[in-house]
Amino acid sequence: MSEKSMVPSRLMFCVMLISMFLLVLSSLFLLQFSSHSFIPRSVLELIIVNNSSFYFTPDFKREQIVLPTDSSEDLRFQALKPRESDSKVSNSSEREHSVERQMNIACDQNRALLKVFMYDLPPEFHFGLLGWKGSVNQTWPDVDNPNHVPRYPGGLNLQHSMEYWLTLDLLSLNTAKAGQHCTAIRVQNSSQADIIFVPFFSSLSYNRHSKTQVEGQVSVNKMLQDRLVRFLRGCKEWKRSGGKNHLIVAHHPNSLLDVRSNLASAMLVLADFGRYPVELANIKKDIIAPYKHLVATIPRAESPSYDERSTLVYFQGAIYRKDGGVIRQELYYLLKDEKDVHFTFGSIGGNGVNQASQGMSTSKFCLNIAGDTPSSNRLFDAIVSHCVPVIISDEIELPYEDVLDYSEFSLFVRAADAIKKGYLLNLLHSIKREEWTKMWERLKEITHHYEYQYPSQPGDAVNMIWQEVVRKISSIQFNSHRKNRYNRSQLLVKTN
Ligand SMILES: *[C@@H]1O[C@H](CO)[C@@H](O)[C@H](O)[C@H]1NC(C)=O
Ligand SMILES: *[C@@H]1O[C@H](CO)[C@@H](O)[C@H](O)[C@H]1NC(C)=O
Ligand SMILES: *[C@@H]1O[C@H](CO)[C@@H](O)[C@H](O)[C@H]1NC(C)=O
Ligand SMILES: *[C@@H]1O[C@H](CO)[C@@H](O)[C@H](O)[C@H]1NC(C)=O
């Protein structure tokens, strides 16, 4: 009886929910058409008042705390992120006001966080590797129409495709679309740039062109690397700074392998530091970028909740790995026969992606165990599946960890603990529905920081990487300025 009466009320609830959703959606669309995005006025004012890098305005953080948003903390590092709640707070005159201001902040040089100069390397270093051929003397494809942009090869190659997304973003910043957000801007004069971007698709070059037809022949990958080094050494920009203000993407752990020691003075965009000696690459000067996830992102509203995820813990991957990966074997023997545990051997090619997607989205926890490198794509697949990551990789470095607290949505377990009998399962069982749900909610909030896309959107991976570059430049400067403190007096003492 009671069940029958439940049905209509549940139906009513659903109808209400849907109509509220539609209402919000339509108001969002309205705003979108009129203003491209909905930056809170207070933030806009901050940006406008101070012409240039609002990022470094000391008052910025305090200002944000009073913003009327649902999770204003995200704004710490994303002043330009659109927020649904903004539509609630702005009445129409305020909105017009902000539209007007918005026009004014079309991405011009003085307002961008980061000014980037990009070398016009010949196409064989970038889009030529995708099979793109322009007309004579054409260096870059026309990216105005996203449908005509050359495609990056799919499959496993995509994991390391950030070289492509970053380059596309810089190209698009020259077009009209640029007004939408203003993190990085491409400048044509390298003396005005904060950083000099080297548009070499090094991961694709490694993945696709490392093999040679004939024994003893030099591979295309090796040849391109050598030519790149020669090119850079001949550039006044490189000579001026010894490469220090250059940004080079080498996300595949084996990319740029032959010339690392020649290029390591630059800021590198990497997956991890596993295959780099610390003097060549380290967290002080380099940037960790997320892999591009392979499984599809679960829409927030469709994400299975605690009770809908029947598997306690999920891992699928190669089990026998070299180097740090021995722990995978030990865990395998500890966990393989446990109830509610999915721990199997499988590659993620072919149908593996679909299986992993299904498996992760119906699991509460997803294991990320060090493989032959400290990082792996699996972490990002878990994040977009909203499966709480359990990170067992003592040496791992994580993307944007200066602004994201991973402990809010992941669990870290030391390798030495993880292989103690019963330790891991006890730990996972002790995390109850409420605690897990908090982490899950946070996962849903941060998922968009791991999306690579074109055109790039505020707060997505491309945008986050540019912001990370800004912060890295700032911290490198800080360290270098400190080193200069006593130079003058030392010099004076010497000369007197
Ligand atoms: C803003 O930038 C413009 C052009 O660079 C400059 O003329 C103006 O004085 C600046 N205003 C402020 C408040 O810094
Ligand atoms: C290509 O560049 C060369 C050298 O700058 C120039 O002589 C030639 O006319 C250009 N060709 C076209 C089609 O623009
Ligand atoms: C580039 O900028 C520098 C410094 O602002 C300036 O001295 C130089 O003339 C500029 N070069 C060109 C080609 O505009
Ligand atoms: C100042 O001195 C430090 C170490 O003594 C050195 O590393 C740095 O390059 C010097 N800075 C300048 C501007 O010469």
Side-chain angles (χ1 to χ4, degrees), residues 33 45 57 64 108 122 157 160 178 190 257 271 274 299 313 321 337 341 363 373 378 422 435 439 467 478:
F33 280 119
E45 260 159 11
T57 308
Q64 280 165 354
D108 83 45
N157 289 304
H160 301 290
S190 61
L257 197 56
V313 55
R321 302 308 297 231
D337 299 324
V341 172
S363 301
T373 56
R378 211 165 276 107
E435 194 178 349
M439 299 173 99
Q467 294 184 39
F478 175 80

Side-chain angles (χ1 to χ4, degrees), residues 444-457:
K444 291 190 287 179
E445 284 169 8
I446 53 91
T447 298
H448 67 288
H449 298 323
Y450 300 90
E451 305 289 4
Y452 288 96
Q453 57 201 338
Y454 179 76
S456 138
Q457 300 293 321

Side-chain angles (χ1 to χ4, degrees), residues 367-381:
L367 293 183
N368 296 273
I369 316 168
D372 44 11
T373 56
S375 71
S376 88
N377 187 66
R378 211 165 276 107
L379 171 61
F380 307 99
D381 284 341

Side-chain angles (χ1 to χ4, degrees), residues 144-409:
D144 287 354
N145 184 342
N147 295 325
H148 296 162
V149 170
R151 302 275 148 202
Y152 201 87
L156 291 173
N157 289 304
L158 269 179
Q159 299 183 88
H160 301 290
S161 57
M162 38 297 320
E163 49 200 21
Y164 168 78
W165 305 107
L166 291 171
T167 307
L168 276 182
D169 194 45
L170 287 177
L171 291 175
S172 78
L173 294 173
N174 280 8
T175 70
K177 166 249 161 201
Q180 289 186 11
H181 64 92
C182 204
T183 307
I185 185 139
R186 186 175 168 203
V187 295
Q188 299 299 336
N189 181 342
S190 61
S191 343
Q192 288 158 2
D194 302 310
I195 195 109
I196 296 175
F197 184 75
V198 180
F200 174 38
F201 291 180
S202 59
S203 299
L204 188 65
S205 174
Y206 170 76
N207 273 332
R208 285 295 179 90
H209 301 283
S210 294
K211 299 215 173 68
T212 51
Q213 304 294 328
V214 187
E215 194 70 29
Q217 203 181 26
V218 173
S219 71
V220 171
N221 180 41
K222 172 98 173 59
M223 188 259 304
L224 286 174
Q225 294 177 58
D226 292 339
R227 281 185 50 198
L228 183 68
V229 171
R230 256 179 287 141
F231 168 84
L232 289 174
R233 285 193 172 147
C235 284
K236 64 177 193 306
E237 287 83 7
W238 185 274
K239 287 181 195 154
R240 208 184 299 153
S241 66
K244 277 199 182 111
N245 60 350
H246 283 55
L247 185 68
I248 300 180
V249 188
H251 200 264
H252 191 291
N254 290 344
S255 58
L256 282 187
L257 197 56
D258 303 298
V259 295
R260 272 175 195 181
S261 53
N262 298 307
L263 300 182
S265 53
M267 186 187 290
L268 304 174
V269 178
L270 304 175
D272 58 53
F273 300 114
R275 295 189 190 162
Y276 281 85
V278 68
E279 61 280 9
L280 293 191
N282 54 69
I283 198 69
K284 280 201 176 129
K285 82 170 175 67
D286 302 308
I287 288 183
I288 298 298
Y291 290 60
K292 181 168 166 54
H293 57 85
L294 296 176
V295 310
T297 304
I298 305 186
R300 267 174 99 139
E302 289 164 29
S303 184
S305 62
Y306 186 85
D307 295 315
E308 292 162 328
R309 293 176 184 249
S310 51
T311 306
L312 176 69
V313 55
Y314 182 92
F315 177 84
Q316 179 152 0
I319 286 167
Y320 303 98
R321 302 308 297 231
K322 45 187 190 282
D323 300 338
V326 280
I327 183 173
R328 285 193 183 179
Q329 277 172 62
E330 302 199 26
L331 277 170
Y332 176 68
Y333 290 112
L334 276 176
L335 296 178
K336 67 183 168 68
D337 299 324
E338 294 285 344
K339 191 163 120 332
D340 297 342
V341 172
H342 174 99
F343 199 123
T344 57
F345 189 42
S347 81
I348 203 164
N351 198 36
V353 174
N354 286 337
Q355 275 174 17
S357 183
Q358 178 66 24
M360 288 181 166
S361 61
T362 52
S363 301
K364 297 182 178 77
F365 297 97
C366 286
L367 293 183
N368 296 273
I369 316 168
D372 44 11
T373 56
S375 71
S376 88
N377 187 66
R378 211 165 276 107
L379 171 61
F380 307 99
D381 284 341
I383 288 174
V384 302
S385 305
H386 309 143
C387 176
V388 172
V390 179
I391 299 172
I392 308 173
S393 179
D394 299 348
E395 305 295 319
I396 199 169
E397 293 291 348
L398 297 159
Y400 345 118
E401 203 176 4
D402 52 346
V403 290
L404 275 192
D405 184 350
Y406 279 75
S407 71
E408 292 171 353
F409 53 86

